[in-house]
Amino acid sequence: MNKEINIGTFVEVLDEDFKGKVIKIANDEAVILTSDGFELAYPLKQLILIGDDSLIKQGSTYGAIESAKTQKITVNHHKVNSEKKSKKDEVVLEVDLHIEKLVKSFKHMNNFDILNIQVDTARGQLEFAIKNRIPKIVFIHGMGEGVLKSELDYLLGRYPEISYQDANYRKYGLGATEVYIKQNPNV
């Protein structure tokens, strides 16, 4: 199957939910241009051919996509046990800190009041997660001017039992922070 993947063909990535057009092939790796404009490199053995420009232009990709999905299912059939997730991986607390999600009306509030509500909400949810041994939180703060993100960084830096980083951009975009809470097994 990999021999059919060439520059200009459309592929789907195994075990991930996105497609793209191959724009470069080198050293058993293909660089894929996604519909979002990202260039990502994957080994050829992780790609499934779903068509090329001629199939896309003719509108006959349905058969190619269905064929590729059948192949994807066949390949994944051998990985059934490895894809099971533990309960620890399943528990993720997502907290949207956009002000319209936190209060009914914010038109009467100034920026300082809005920021305080957002930071207090983040602090409360973080304390809740620590208390209830939730291993991962994602704070969705948006991009904006970066004031809320700076305040979150300051808040999170005061907790030695956590680590944090930018969240998965494919799922959350650039406006989210992922927090991992280190669990003490003795508690």
Side-chain angles (χ1 to χ4, degrees):
M1 190 65 177
N2 293 343
K3 293 175 183 158
E4 298 175 20
I5 295 175
N6 296 311
I7 294 175
T9 57
F10 286 83
V11 295
E12 187 172 0
V13 181
L14 283 174
D15 300 328
E16 296 202 30
D17 190 26
F18 74 90
K19 303 168 186 139
K21 181 179 181 179
V22 176
I23 59 171
K24 181 179 175 185
I25 298 177
N27 300 329
D28 293 328
E29 269 195 351
V31 176
I32 302 168
L33 179 63
T34 66
S35 59
D36 298 328
F38 291 108
E39 293 182 8
L40 303 170
Y42 281 94
L44 288 172
K45 64 184 178 183
Q46 290 184 357
L47 302 178
I48 298 174
L49 180 68
I50 58 173
D52 60 19
D53 281 329
S54 62
L55 286 174
I56 300 296
K57 289 174 186 168
Q58 292 172 4
S60 62
T61 58
Y62 182 75
I65 291 171
E66 289 307 308
S67 169
K69 286 186 178 177
T70 303
Q71 291 169 359
K72 186 173 183 178
I73 290 168
T74 303
V75 172
N76 287 339
H77 177 69
H78 301 291
K79 295 183 177 181
V80 173
N81 292 333
S82 67
E83 291 188 38
K84 287 184 181 176
K85 294 183 178 181
S86 68
K87 282 191 174 186
K88 186 175 183 180
D89 291 337
E90 293 174 2
V91 180
V92 177
L93 178 61
E94 288 183 358
V95 181
D96 193 339
L97 295 175
H98 288 92
I99 192 64
E100 62 270 11
K101 303 286 185 180
L102 302 176
V103 295
K104 287 183 181 178
S105 174
F106 60 93
K107 299 202 184 303
H108 64 282
M109 300 175 146
N110 62 31
N111 290 344
F112 179 76
D113 294 335
I114 291 171
L115 184 62
N116 278 334
I117 289 172
Q118 291 171 316
V119 172
D120 287 345
T121 301
R123 182 182 300 112
Q125 293 296 320
L126 182 59
E127 292 290 338
F128 173 81
I130 291 170
K131 180 181 174 188
N132 292 291
R133 302 178 61 79
I134 297 173
K136 182 177 170 184
I137 309 175
V138 176
F139 289 113
I140 303 168
H141 47 73
M143 290 181 50
E145 295 176 16
V147 177
L148 178 57
K149 182 167 177 26
S150 297
E151 287 295 320
L152 271 179
D153 288 347
Y154 178 74
L155 171 70
L156 298 173
R158 295 171 43 201
Y159 289 85
E161 68 271 21
I162 67 168
S163 62
Y164 61 97
Q165 64 187 25
D166 290 341
N168 182 340
Y169 71 91
R170 284 189 202 142
K171 185 170 182 181
Y172 299 104
L174 296 174
T177 300
E178 205 168 55
V179 178
Y180 297 96
I181 301 169
K182 299 170 190 159
Q183 303 294 327
N184 185 352
N186 299 329
V187 177

